Amino acid sequence: MAAELALGSALAAIGAGVAVGFAALGSGIGQGIASSSAVGAVAEDSSMFAQGLVFTAIPETQAIYGFLIAILLLVFSGIMGGSPLGVTSGLVAIGAGASVGFGGLGSGMGQGIASSAAVGAVVEEPSMFAQGLVFTAIPETQAIYGFLIAILLLVFGGILGA
């Protein structure tokens, strides 16, 4: 029989799920959009495989941010170690998970759309690769904001380093 979780730790589990679930959803949608364009580009010109792969991989970072926050929540919430959390810290954990999860959802989808357009531009003009990377990287900033706010919530909410 599993040990009973403290309510705060259970709330942190919800935060971990939100963090990785929504961030991975954004990455998955973004990568699907980008990869569909990359497949079309490779069908036209097989030398586009490497460029298409790069643009398809870029929206993966949102899932990585969500995964990292989820692991931190699990490790420091009493689920995988550490002390069980109180209710207030558990609510902070949900906020941290929502910050990185929803930031990753929107950013991943936007990045996939930009990546898709960049693949199309590079097919037409191969010298557009660097410019395409720059435009594709810009939607990443929203995911970085979400990740940083999640870290700040974990530190100043007493979950990490307190």
Side-chain angles (χ1 to χ4, degrees):
M1 183 169 185
E4 187 172 319
L5 285 177
L7 179 58
S9 297
L11 293 171
I14 293 170
V18 168
V20 75
F22 283 99
L25 180 63
S27 284
I29 292 170
Q31 285 184 317
I33 293 168
S35 66
S36 66
S37 292
V39 167
V42 171
E44 277 190 34
D45 180 0
S46 63
S47 70
M48 282 293 302
F49 179 76
Q51 292 95 335
L53 191 60
V54 168
F55 286 116
T56 298
I58 289 174
E60 180 68 26
T61 53
Q62 289 80 8
I64 294 170
Y65 300 148
F67 180 71
L68 289 173
I69 294 299
I71 292 295
L72 289 173
L73 287 172
L74 294 176
V75 168
F76 291 100
S77 68
I79 296 171
M80 293 176 64
S83 302
L85 296 180
V87 173
T88 302
S89 293
L91 292 171
V92 169
I94 290 176
S99 174
V100 73
F102 293 127
L105 175 64
S107 173
M109 291 189 304
Q111 205 161 43
I113 294 167
S115 292
S116 176
V119 167
V122 172
V123 166
E124 294 294 321
E125 179 55 54
S127 68
M128 290 288 299
F129 183 74
Q131 291 95 335
L133 282 179
V134 170
F135 285 116
T136 300
I138 290 172
E140 183 84 18
T141 53
Q142 284 71 34
I144 293 170
Y145 297 152
F147 183 72
L148 291 176
I149 293 300
I151 293 293
L152 290 173
L153 285 170
L154 294 178
V155 170
F156 293 106
I159 297 172
L160 293 179

